[in-house]
Amino acid sequence: MTIFEQVKSELNMIDVAKFYGALASHGMCLCPFHNEKTPSMKLYEKNFHCFGCGEHGDMIDFTAKVFGISSVDAAKRLNYDFGLHIDVDKPLSAEQITEYQQRQSERLAYNQWEKSAWKSIIDYSRLLLEWRKKYSPKTMAENHHPLFVESLMNTDRTDYLFEEFLNEDKSGRLKLKQEVELIEQRLQQYKSPPVKRTHAAR
Ligand SMILES: [Zn+2]
């Protein structure tokens, strides 16, 4: 076991967050990484996730970020502050370091994906809502605007994705990857639509 695993096995995220001043109740707390008045950071047993700014990680990442220190120093600090008596100065083997770095970079890649996936889902739901209002037909006879139709067709599914993303853990979120990609493509297409040929161009 590395010192990271040892520290994590001894502590839980809520205690760590409270100890370092994050006011927590019902598993939620005010995010120390962005400015907010209502709690949007969810605390799990070993991890945290902020639905406001997308910050995410375990108690060691949390501590490292709060104090602006490295992961190793964060583990040492937790060890000291919580009186865990773990021998943190025992050097890690090369294998352990590689393994930890690998997991770390996988986690970073996942975090990045999660942040942008989360943003895409939110952006698309906002657009759908906007289109529903802006393009709703004024009379029964009027032809339906394609964006109004898209809003009718996709709002339920997008709401569902939103809920799933909120409630699921990492593996549950990853299952939504394909659908999130479709949303990203759609947003991309909407923001920079393919150039339409006009009469003048022909
Ligand atoms: Zn935040």
Side-chain angles (χ1 to χ4, degrees):
M1 256 212 289
T2 65
I3 55 164
F4 304 112
E5 288 157 345
Q6 276 178 289
V7 166
K8 279 165 73 173
S9 72
E10 297 279 334
L11 297 172
N12 85 59
M13 186 65 235
I14 297 178
D15 292 338
V16 171
K18 280 187 175 165
F19 189 85
Y20 294 130
L23 291 170
S25 68
H26 302 103
M28 298 292 290
C29 79
L30 285 176
C31 174
F33 310 126
H34 82 276
N35 199 1
E36 64 174 5
K37 291 198 179 77
T38 45
S40 53
M41 178 178 277
K42 185 153 174 55
L43 302 172
Y44 302 90
E45 203 194 334
K46 304 288 172 191
N47 303 300
F48 67 92
H49 178 79
C50 176
F51 291 104
C53 67
E55 205 58 60
H56 177 106
D58 62 20
M59 61 182 77
I60 292 169
D61 301 317
F62 182 91
T63 309
K65 215 173 146 53
V66 164
F67 296 104
I69 54 183
S70 72
S71 304
V72 175
D73 286 339
K76 286 182 181 172
R77 172 138 197 175
L78 286 164
N79 183 48
Y80 179 81
D81 285 346
F82 285 87
L84 301 179
H85 305 293
I86 295 166
D87 183 6
V88 288
D89 292 318
K90 197 172 65 187
L92 296 174
S93 72
E95 212 174 47
Q96 284 174 326
I97 292 174
T98 321
E99 202 191 293
Y100 183 77
Q101 283 169 341
Q102 216 162 18
R103 260 182 301 153
Q104 193 84 335
S105 70
E106 275 169 23
R107 212 171 47 196
L108 277 179
Y110 170 78
N111 287 354
Q112 228 159 25
W113 172 77
E114 196 196 71
K115 252 189 207 178
S116 76
W118 188 241
K119 188 175 180 305
S120 302
I121 296 173
I122 291 173
D123 285 354
Y124 191 53
S125 354
R126 284 198 188 126
L127 270 181
L128 291 175
L129 195 67
E130 195 184 305
W131 294 342
R132 177 81 64 104
K133 288 182 190 153
K134 195 166 164 189
Y135 298 113
S136 82
K138 306 291 175 282
T139 68
M140 296 268 273
E142 197 179 312
N143 275 338
H144 289 166
H145 192 285
L147 293 179
F148 177 73
V149 177
E150 183 173 337
S151 163
L152 289 182
M153 281 168 61
N154 291 350
T155 297
D156 283 353
R157 186 66 200 168
T158 311
D159 285 351
Y160 170 80
L161 280 179
F162 186 87
E163 287 274 308
E164 285 289 287
F165 223 79
L166 198 63
N167 296 324
E168 281 297 329
D169 58 6
K170 180 175 173 178
S171 68
R173 289 186 185 130
L174 281 171
K175 285 189 197 131
L176 309 173
K177 200 164 185 171
Q178 249 180 329
E179 262 188 290
V180 172
E181 262 165 39
L182 289 176
I183 289 182
E184 278 162 354
Q185 282 166 18
R186 177 63 187 111
L187 286 172
Q188 199 60 37
Q189 191 201 21
Y190 178 70
K191 282 175 202 154
S192 44
V195 184
K196 263 194 202 149
R197 280 201 279 162
T198 62
H199 290 289
R202 262 185 227 168

